[in-house]
Amino acid sequence: VKSEGPKLVPFFKATCVYFVLWLPTSSPSWFSALIKCLPIFCLWVFLLAHGINFLVSHRSASRILAGLIFSALGDAFLIWQEQGYFIHGLLMFAITHILYSSAFGMKPLDLKAGLLMGVVSSCCYAFLYSYLSGPFTYLVAVYIALIGFMGWRAVAGVQLCNDLWTWTKLSACVGAMLFMVSDLTIALNEFCFPVPYSRFIIMATYYAAQMLIALSAVETRDEEDFRKRS
């Protein structure tokens, strides 16, 4: 963890810039989009700093990088969500969750975690259903299924009971949970009722989630270094 910390300094600085400037969402602009996306750009740099060869040879890391790219596109679209680009942002983040799920993999399967995540996702959709109309009735259902699946694959990788977890797997798990909190807050605020301090909750959990998921990409490198030292 200590070796990765310095590489995340630009991300923390960019996140501070976003919260300090706190540009109004009522006046969308390319500058607002840049400030909002800047922390994610820094996470691109964080992964690229590990080397192109590392990303090419480890599909999980390259898929997380691809997920971060689509996340930045989603962030940009949501800047103009009042102008009709909310669905575009939703699509970008749906692709992000597919990429993250692929990066986390299907082993171990852990059906209990999958069942639990399915119940949680179903309860969330059941609550939102009465507030949804038109295409959002189906789009939100698909989106919740995708992020719930991503959460399952992140949780399944931890294996705390078997003492097989690593700090990067735990990082992916916590990141996925925070991503779900961020998206649920968006859904409640967008479709149901105003959530107090919604923007702060959404962005704080979102940036933390993306950082933790990006950190999980260095696991394969850690394993290689451990084998070399052994």
Side-chain angles (χ1 to χ4, degrees), residues 93-102 143 146-147 150 179 183:
F93 280 110
I95 295 172
T96 294
H97 297 317
I98 292 171
L99 288 165
Y100 286 169
S101 299
S102 177
Y143 187 87
L146 289 175
I147 195 171
M150 186 270 289
F179 216 137
D183 280 357

Side-chain angles (χ1 to χ4, degrees), residues 90-224:
L90 197 70
L91 176 60
M92 294 299 103
F93 280 110
I95 295 172
T96 294
H97 297 317
I98 292 171
L99 288 165
Y100 286 169
S101 299
S102 177
F104 298 150
M106 290 302 296
K107 295 181 180 180
L109 193 60
D110 196 348
L111 293 177
K112 291 182 179 178
L115 178 61
L116 176 61
M117 201 59 61
V119 170
V120 171
S121 298
S122 298
C123 289
C124 290
Y125 182 70
F127 179 82
L128 292 169
Y129 180 77
S130 60
Y131 295 94
L132 302 172
S133 60
F136 284 110
T137 304
Y138 310 102
L139 292 174
V140 172
V142 173
Y143 187 87
I144 288 177
L146 289 175
I147 195 171
F149 184 82
M150 186 270 289
W152 169 32
R153 297 323 310 146
V155 171
V158 179
Q159 297 188 80
L160 287 173
C161 296
N162 298 329
D163 199 29
L164 296 175
W165 63 279
T166 62
W167 71 267
T168 47
K169 289 185 182 298
L170 186 60
S171 175
C173 177
V174 176
M177 295 301 101
L178 288 174
F179 216 137
M180 294 179 72
V181 171
S182 179
D183 280 357
L184 178 59
T185 307
I186 291 176
L188 292 174
N189 195 64
E190 183 73 20
F191 301 113
C192 304
F193 47 78
V195 177
Y197 308 106
S198 59
R199 185 181 172 193
F200 177 80
I201 295 170
I202 290 166
M203 297 311 298
T205 52
Y206 170 70
Y207 285 141
Q210 293 283 38
M211 180 196 69
L212 291 169
I213 291 173
L215 271 172
S216 73
V218 305
E219 177 181 20
T220 48
R221 185 164 193 162
D222 288 346
E223 290 174 350
E224 288 177 354

